[in-house]
Amino acid sequence: LSACVALGAFGYGFSLYAAPRLLPEVAGLAPLVRPATPDPPVTHRGLLVGDSHAMVAAPTLDIFARRVGAQWTETVYPSCPPALGVDIRSPYGERIAACKAILAGIDYAGAEFMIVMARWNFYLGLPWSDPYYQTYEVIPEQGAPNETPIALLGRGLAAFLAAAKQKGVRRILVVGPTPEFPVHAPYCLVRALRLGI
């Protein structure tokens, strides 16, 4: 029985951590390589705002931005959607106050564009869409009337975008929801390519 448990634990760990590294360029784990040519001078300044999805995309986006003479300041924080006038509730029922302070601290000075990216579905109180992270939920601020999570998120995002425009941001790109997978996607790719499954 102990050997079976140990073997199962080893197999799970191998599939989760070792197998995706067999083809790191496919699994998205290969280091990003900057081009050898020098970057053009910076002519555009902007912002990248969002949660952990923006945090993961930032290094790749930064390479492409530098190639066209753009530079930005990041304001990204896990489990903090770019929405004003709402609160966030953790899976444990806690009200998360840090998001408001993070969004309030954004420096818009000199920013002509902004990219907004988040795991939007993660804040609607839906059932888990992956095996690792339990979802958070947008909720009304204390004392505010109740609204559905999707209405709250829409209103909060609209308020955030309006505030950015008032601060002088002229162009805003809102990246829509990215696909959600119920299993670890890099391992599926490696398994498909190496084992044909």
Side-chain angles (χ1 to χ4, degrees), residues 53-142:
H53 272 210
M55 190 181 296
V56 170
T60 303
L61 291 174
D62 192 53
I63 288 175
F64 288 102
R66 290 179 186 277
R67 288 180 188 169
V68 295
Q71 187 179 55
W72 60 50
T73 303
E74 294 178 26
T75 302
V76 293
Y77 197 80
S79 305
C80 282
L84 297 177
V86 298
D87 283 344
I88 308 298
R89 181 169 52 207
S90 77
Y92 311 106
E94 306 168 306
R95 217 174 257 270
I96 300 174
C99 296
K100 288 183 181 179
I102 290 165
L103 294 177
I106 296 175
D107 182 10
Y108 293 94
E112 64 178 88
F113 72 90
M114 181 169 66
I115 298 174
V116 180
M117 185 176 188
R119 188 178 178 185
W120 306 108
N121 294 338
F122 193 64
Y123 305 103
L124 301 180
L126 300 172
W128 295 23
S129 57
D130 67 70
Y132 304 111
Y133 301 106
Q134 193 171 351
T135 57
Y136 285 57
E137 185 176 5
V138 288
I139 56 175
E141 291 180 309
Q142 291 182 341

